[in-house]
Amino acid sequence: MISAEYLAYRIGTSTAVLACVSVLTFGMMYLTPGDPARAVLYHQTGQQPSAEAVAAFRAEHGFDDPFPIRYWHWITDVVQRDLGESYRTGRPVSTMIVDALPATIELAIAAMAVALVIAIPTGVASAVYRGTWIDQASQLFALVGVSMPNFWLGYLLIIVFALHLGLAPVSGTGGLSHLVLPAIALGTGMAAIVTRLVRTSMLDVLDAEYVDAARAKGTAERIVVYKHALRNALIPVVTVVGLQFGFVLNGAVVIEIVFQRPGLGMMLVDAIFARDFPVVQGVVLIVAVLFVVTNLLVDLSYRVLDPRVQFGGEHA
Amino acid sequence: MSTVAGVLSRLESKRLTTIARTAVSELRSNRLTLVGALIVAVLGFVAIVGPLIVPYEPAAQDLSNRLQGPSLAHPLGTDQLGRDVATRLVYGARVSLGIAILVTALRVLIGTTVGMVAGYAGGWVDELFMRLVDVQLAFPGLVLALVVAGILGPSLRNVMIALAVVGWTTYARVVRGSVLTIKERKYVDVARLVGTPRLRLFRRHLLPGVVNPVIVIATLNLGTVVLATAGLSFIGLGAQPPTPEWGTMLAGGRQYVRSAWWIVNAPGVAIMLTVLGFNLLGDGLRDALDPKQQARVEEV
């Protein structure tokens, strides 16, 4: 179990990290070469804005205030769930995120499911038949899987399954059929990483004494593998799969563009090209919050699953 | 003093030969590592020599020969502007490898410095740097790189800056960990007590202990940087047309996947082989140089 002390410590550090993250996120617009206000107007109209237009825009959006004051205005709104309005459309950023988030979460979950469905049987087979061609084939899969750019895999899937076989739609969102190809494109790389991990973890467990004991007792090998070994082997897998959430968000950006799925990733890229700073800041902040919270939950669940993990360890 | 320095430098060069020898024997004993080394060697050769021998210019358009399939004149076909895909692929190797090496070098430089200073100094310095790492790790790497590169403005240079800035944390953590162990050793105490200047202490006593893990991570990192650069260029943030960059080429061919599948697939295969080469080589080097190190989950 988790002590209240540890819980408080972890929540405290995560909150502190998020506070720093919010400052960085807000400060990012200052990386724009030149005047951000001018850049925004230039992207909106396609021509150099007049000095009066720039001045008016700066006044309207509080650009003339010093950074700490601007940040304070922004963050006090953020904690009240107001992320500002898009410079382009005037729509509230929070509404835009609420609209786009489900498509991305759906993709992320489907990709993780694909990854686990491929990785667990492959990794277990690889460990149980260690050194045989099965093991070599699955290791080769893992190597190729991590080396393949997911956007290229996306096009390969489109060419084969959508264009030639006509089994799935090329792009967009909708039912399950729209989700299959993007999920495979995104999940394969993760499957490769998790396969390796399941294999290593399974090999460790199969060498453990309690597995020998189960065998000595005369337990059938199948039960030894699935009941005794696999359950314990999956503990570290939980951690890595959870930590892969960031990887999924990384990949989702690119995959959403390949399959033209209107999600958080596509929204972010559009906003970046349009210098729509409130949208960029909102998406980055939400992504970081999701990421930090997932990592926290993963860490805590790991401790519940495996009581041997020390409490309050170094950078636990 | 000069003889001591001589002995030390001889010891150091002996150490380097040992590293090289272990690496070579690993290459011999592990076929997959050999394949990786071979891929990387061929790629390096193509990147350096290739542009000198290909018959076409990478940006030379031939609009009467658009979207031609593979043929003797164009072994990998032509793209939407009639440019030779094979030629662009060869020039692209130069771009991708060049960026990968530069970005990785920057990451090693930043990460190793931060890790050594944090580990050696300890106290609030260590605390400060490690919290900085935590904050950085709160963003998914590629998303952060995307935003930084995007706001700086689309260009290869800005992609390199963004990737260097987001990727140094792994090095910092590993190096810090090694330094924490090494600095407890007797010889470091002795060196400190006899008044060895700090820079020299770092170079002579701390740096050698972190070289192996850094080499391993850097090799694997070369592959991930190739992937990330291609991904960002694919989105439109990196290399701008007509630069022959693999991700940009892939993006340019996406409207033609139905009629001209080679435009998308040629750079796709090139990226995959490159990353595979670095991964195989990195895995082999890890087994040889740093066997305790677990398989690392790389992000960007």
Side-chain angles (χ1 to χ4, degrees), chain A residues 207-223:
Chain A
D207 283 341
E209 278 176 12
Y210 61 85
V211 170
D212 284 341
R215 282 200 185 112
K217 218 169 58 173
T219 315
E221 186 64 20
R222 254 189 51 209
I223 299 186

Side-chain angles (χ1 to χ4, degrees), chain A residues 20-21 28 32-33 143 147 149 151-152 155-156 163 196 244 250 257 268 272 275 284 287 291-292 314-315, chain B residues 131 137-138 140 142-144 146-147 150-152 176 231 254 258 265 268 271-272 276 279-280 283 297 299:
Chain A
C20 297
V21 162
M28 270 173 196
T32 313
L143 272 167
S147 306
F151 46 97
W152 175 49
Y155 285 115
L156 276 184
L163 297 179
R196 287 181 125 183
Q244 287 291 311
N250 281 333
I257 289 174
L268 178 63
I272 286 174
R275 310 270 140 182
V284 171
V287 165
F291 195 38
V292 169
E314 164 77 1
H315 296 298
Chain B
R131 291 294 86 84
L137 291 176
L142 196 64
V143 172
L144 185 59
L146 176 94
V147 174
I151 296 180
L152 284 172
R176 172 182 173 271
R254 59 183 155 175
R258 193 186 286 272
N265 287 319
I271 298 167
M272 184 184 75
L276 186 65
N279 281 344
L280 289 172
D283 280 352
V297 182
E299 246 197 42

Side-chain angles (χ1 to χ4, degrees), chain A residues 178-210:
Chain A
H178 284 90
L179 193 57
V180 176
L181 296 186
I184 296 174
L186 184 52
T188 302
M190 206 182 359
I193 293 170
V194 181
T195 301
R196 287 181 125 183
L197 186 80
V198 171
R199 178 180 181 274
T200 322
S201 177
M202 198 65 188
L203 284 176
D204 280 352
V205 174
L206 285 174
D207 283 341
E209 278 176 12
Y210 61 85

Side-chain angles (χ1 to χ4, degrees), chain B:
Chain B
M1 217 35 214
S2 67
T3 47
V4 175
V7 169
L8 279 177
S9 82
R10 232 176 302 147
L11 275 179
E12 194 150 290
S13 68
K14 202 171 169 191
R15 218 188 108 73
L16 280 178
T17 28
T18 324
I19 293 181
R21 209 173 292 148
T22 348
V24 169
S25 80
E26 169 65 25
L27 293 185
R28 286 224 191 91
S29 65
N30 189 336
R31 260 182 306 160
L32 280 180
T33 313
L34 194 64
V35 173
L38 207 68
I39 295 176
V40 171
V42 168
L43 252 145
F45 181 78
V46 167
I48 296 167
V49 180
L52 305 175
I53 48 180
V54 287
Y56 302 100
E57 285 296 314
Q61 304 183 2
D62 178 2
L63 294 176
S64 59
N65 274 317
R66 299 172 71 235
L67 307 173
Q68 295 293 308
S71 64
L72 269 181
H74 302 284
L76 295 176
T78 61
D79 68 5
Q80 63 278 13
L81 295 172
R83 297 171 296 195
D84 183 53
V85 172
T87 299
R88 293 177 62 72
L89 220 52
V90 165
Y91 276 85
R94 198 174 261 198
V95 176
S96 289
L97 288 188
I99 291 177
I101 291 169
L102 253 167
V103 169
T104 307
L106 282 171
R107 290 177 168 186
V108 168
L109 191 71
I110 304 173
T112 311
T113 312
V114 169
M116 292 220 324
V117 170
Y120 185 77
W124 67 268
V125 177
D126 185 27
E127 193 64 24
L128 181 77
F129 277 133
M130 288 304 112
R131 291 294 86 84
L132 193 66
V133 169
D134 285 347
V135 171
Q136 172 116 40
L137 291 176
F139 299 98
L142 196 64
V143 172
L144 185 59
L146 176 94
V147 174
V148 172
I151 296 180
L152 284 172
S155 78
L156 262 185
R157 192 198 60 154
N158 290 342
V159 160
M160 290 198 290
I161 295 174
L163 286 176
V165 166
V166 303
W168 55 273
T169 46
T170 318
Y171 298 95
R173 295 219 285 192
V174 171
V175 167
R176 172 182 173 271
S178 303
V179 169
L180 282 180
T181 336
I182 299 168
K183 79 169 180 184
E184 299 306 323
R185 304 235 169 97
K186 280 261 156 49
Y187 66 85
V188 179
D189 275 342
V190 172
R192 196 167 17 197
L193 284 173
V194 299
T196 314
R198 196 169 291 173
L199 254 179
R200 193 185 160 79
L201 191 84
F202 271 53
R203 218 180 47 228
R204 281 263 184 257
H205 300 294
L206 298 182
L207 201 55
V210 303
V211 167
N212 285 4
V214 167
I215 288 178
V216 173
I217 304 171
T219 311
L220 294 168
N221 230 201
L222 287 167
T224 46
V225 174
V226 169
L227 269 183
T229 310
L232 292 175
S233 293
F234 169 77
I235 291 174
L237 288 173
Q240 299 301 309
T243 310
E245 197 278 339
W246 293 340
T248 317
M249 288 170 68
L250 222 155
R254 59 183 155 175
Q255 281 121 343
Y256 308 96
V257 279
R258 193 186 286 272
S259 52
W261 49 268
W262 52 89
I263 308 179
V264 163
N265 287 319
V269 172
I271 298 167
M272 184 184 75
L273 282 179
T274 309
V275 181
L276 186 65
F278 285 126
N279 281 344
L280 289 172
L281 190 60
D283 280 352
L285 287 176
R286 175 173 54 220
D287 293 344
L289 300 177
D290 197 17
K292 281 172 300 179
Q293 195 177 318
Q294 281 281 314
R296 220 166 271 289
V297 182
E298 285 293 334
E299 246 197 42
V300 167

Side-chain angles (χ1 to χ4, degrees), chain A residues 1 11 26 52 105 117 140 198 214 296 307:
Chain A
M1 276 316 292
I11 291 176
F26 187 73
E52 298 82 55
I105 298 279
V117 166
L140 190 68
V198 171
L296 178 62

